[in-house]
Amino acid sequence: MEQKSLKVFESMPIPKAVFKNALPAMVAMLMVLVYNLADTFFIGQTHNVLQIAAVSLATPVFLMFMAVGTAFGIGGTSVISRALGEGRKDYAKKVCSFCMWGCVIVGVGMAVLFLIFMEPILSLIGASSDTWDFAKTYLMIVVYSGPFVLISNCYANVIRTEGESGKAMMGQLLGNLLNVILDPIMILVFDWNIAGAAIATVIGNMFGAVYYIFYFLHGKSSLSIRLKYFTLKEKICSSVLVIGVPAALGSMLMSVSQIIINSQMAEYGDMTIAGMGVAMKVVTITGMVCMGLGQGVQPLLGYCIGAKLWKRFNDAFQFSIIFSLILGVVLTIICYLFTNQIVSVFLTDVTAFDYAVQFAKILLTTSFMFGVFYVLINALQAMGAATASLIINLSRQGMIFIPSLFILKAVLGLTGLVWAQPVADILSILLATVLYINTYKKLSTQKNVTLQET
C-alpha cells in the first residue's frame, strides 16, 4: 500500500477523511439501489403486476447471497483494518485470501442447495399459484451468480481498508451499471420478461466480481487473494467470522423477515405483496445511502483502533453521527414528499398503488434514524465487538421485529405488519446506543490504552 493511502486514516482532516471514505461507499450503495429499482421498473413496463409480486417474493431469497458476502466483507474489513493499523501486513494478506476462497466455496455450496430445494423454498416464501412460475424462473437463474455475488459484496468492503474507496466503488458501479443497461434490452426488447431481469442480474454480478479479482491480480494492492496465502491458522477464520457472522445475520434476518411478511400478506392477496415490495424500495433509498455511509467510515474507525488513535477515533465517530443524522432527515423528507411519484414509476394497478403509498408512509416514519444506526453498528464492528454486533443484528430483524410482526398484526391487521418495522427501528437504535457506550468504556479502560492520541 502506498503511504499516501495510509494518510487518509492517520492524518487527513476528519471531515475530509470521512467524506473520502464514505462518499464512494454511498455512491456504490446508490448503484445497488438503482440496480434493485431497475428490475422492478422494467418489469413494471410489462404491465404484469404478478411479475412484480414475484420479484418481491424472490428478492429476499437472493439477498441471502449478499448477506453471506457481507459476512466475509464486514468481518474481513474489521480484521484487516485493525491489522494494518498495527502494522501486520502479512496477516492482512492472509485474511484477504481467506475471504476470497471462503466466498468461492460457500457461494458454490449455497447455489447447489438452492437449486436442490427450490420447490420447498417457493412454498416457504408464499408464492401463490399465480406467482409460482414467475418466482421460480427468476430464482432458478439468479442462483447461478451466487459465488460472484459473494465475491463482489465482500471486496466492495475489503478494498476500503487500503484507503481505496474509489476502486471499491468502481466494481459495484460497473457491475450494477451493466445490469441496468441489460435490463431493458432483455426484458423488453428480447421480450424475456422476468427471465431477462434474472439474466441481467447474473451478468452484472459476474462482471463486478471479475473487476475485483483483476484488481488484486494485476493492481498495486498490498493485500492478496492468491491461494498461497490461504490458511485457517492464526485464528483467521474465527476472527473474520466472529464479526462477519453477526453482520450477515442482520442481513439474512432481513431477508427472513421479508419472507415472513410476504407469507403473512399473502392472506390479503398478491396486490398487497406487490405494494409492500415497492414501498420497501421507497424507504430503501434512505436505507442504502445511510448503509453506505456506515460501511465507508468503518475502515477509518478500525484503523484508528488498531493504531490506538483514540482522539481521532472519537472525532471521526462524532462527525459521522452528526452527518448521518442530517443525511437521514434530508433523504426521508425527500422520499416522503415524492412518495406518490416514486410509486407511480413502478405500479399502474390502482389497488397495488394505494397499498404501496400507504405502506411507504408508515415505513418512512423512522427512516431518518437509519444513518445513526448504521454508524453505530459499524463502529461496534470496527471495535471488534463481536457479542454486541451479534445482539444488535439478531434484535433488529429477529428478536424485536418478528414478535412485533405477529403482535401488531393481531392488533391492527394488515397495517400492523407494516408498523412492525418502525417499532423495531426505534428499539434497535436505543439498544445500539447502549451497547456502543458500554463497549467504548471497556476499550478505554484496557491496560495501556488511553484516550489521548499516540
Side-chain angles (χ1 to χ4, degrees), residues 101-387:
W101 297 104
C103 285
V104 172
I105 295 168
V106 175
V108 171
M110 286 182 66
V112 171
L113 288 173
F114 274 61
L115 289 171
I116 292 173
F117 295 103
M118 184 59 65
E119 299 291 324
I121 289 172
L122 290 168
S123 296
L124 181 65
I125 63 177
S128 68
S129 58
D130 292 325
T131 58
W132 184 282
D133 288 340
F134 290 130
K136 183 176 181 179
T137 297
Y138 188 83
L139 285 176
M140 287 291 288
I141 296 172
V142 295
V143 294
Y144 287 105
S145 67
F148 301 103
V149 175
L150 265 68
I151 292 171
S152 182
N153 278 271
C154 174
Y155 288 100
N157 288 288
V158 168
I159 291 175
R160 296 188 189 112
T161 63
E162 297 189 281
E164 298 288 359
S165 293
K167 291 179 180 177
M169 173 192 71
M170 193 57 63
Q172 285 183 301
L173 188 66
L174 293 175
N176 291 331
L177 184 60
L178 180 60
N179 186 15
V180 172
I181 293 171
L182 291 175
D183 263 341
I185 296 172
M186 295 187 171
I187 296 171
L188 302 175
V189 177
F190 292 170
D191 199 27
W192 291 349
N193 296 315
I194 200 167
I199 294 169
T201 297
V202 172
I203 295 173
N205 281 295
M206 288 177 64
F207 195 90
V210 169
Y211 169 86
Y212 291 122
I213 292 171
F214 186 84
Y215 166 82
F216 283 110
L217 296 181
H218 300 284
K220 297 180 179 179
S221 174
S222 65
L223 302 175
S224 178
I225 60 171
R226 296 185 185 276
L227 191 58
K228 68 178 181 179
Y229 290 108
F230 177 81
T231 180
L232 297 177
K233 298 177 181 178
E234 302 180 64
K235 296 183 178 180
I236 287 176
C237 179
S238 60
S239 296
V240 170
L241 297 183
V242 77
I243 296 298
V245 168
L249 282 175
S251 298
M252 200 165 287
L253 281 171
M254 191 177 297
S255 295
V256 170
S257 64
Q258 189 59 47
I259 290 170
I260 294 173
I261 289 176
N262 288 336
S263 65
Q264 293 296 307
M265 282 194 166
E267 300 176 16
Y268 302 93
D270 290 327
M271 295 306 101
T272 62
I273 295 175
M276 187 62 177
V278 171
M280 290 294 291
K281 293 186 184 300
V282 175
V283 77
T284 298
I285 294 172
T286 301
M288 295 295 271
V289 175
C290 291
M291 186 183 296
L293 170 61
Q295 292 178 356
V297 298
Q298 185 187 335
L300 172 62
L301 297 175
Y303 186 94
C304 291
I305 289 170
K308 303 284 193 291
L309 302 175
W310 287 99
K311 182 178 184 303
R312 187 168 175 81
F313 171 88
N314 286 334
D315 291 344
F317 175 78
Q318 290 170 12
F319 180 84
S320 298
I321 285 289
I322 294 170
F323 176 61
S324 68
L325 182 58
I326 295 171
L327 180 67
V329 170
V330 171
L331 289 173
T332 297
I333 291 173
I334 292 172
C335 290
Y336 191 88
L337 292 176
F338 295 97
T339 298
N340 286 41
Q341 290 85 344
I342 297 171
V343 171
S344 66
V345 172
F346 304 101
L347 293 170
T348 55
D349 182 271
V350 176
T351 303
F353 177 90
D354 290 342
Y355 279 129
V357 171
Q358 178 189 3
F359 296 162
K361 289 185 175 180
I362 292 174
L363 295 173
L364 285 168
T365 55
T366 52
S367 63
F368 71 94
M369 300 188 295
F370 286 172
V372 174
F373 176 80
Y374 285 118
V375 170
L376 283 169
I377 195 166
N378 277 278
L380 286 168
Q381 290 162 354
M383 292 174 173
T387 301

Side-chain angles (χ1 to χ4, degrees), residues 69-81:
T70 298
F72 289 101
I74 297 296
T77 296
S78 177
V79 177
I80 292 171
S81 60

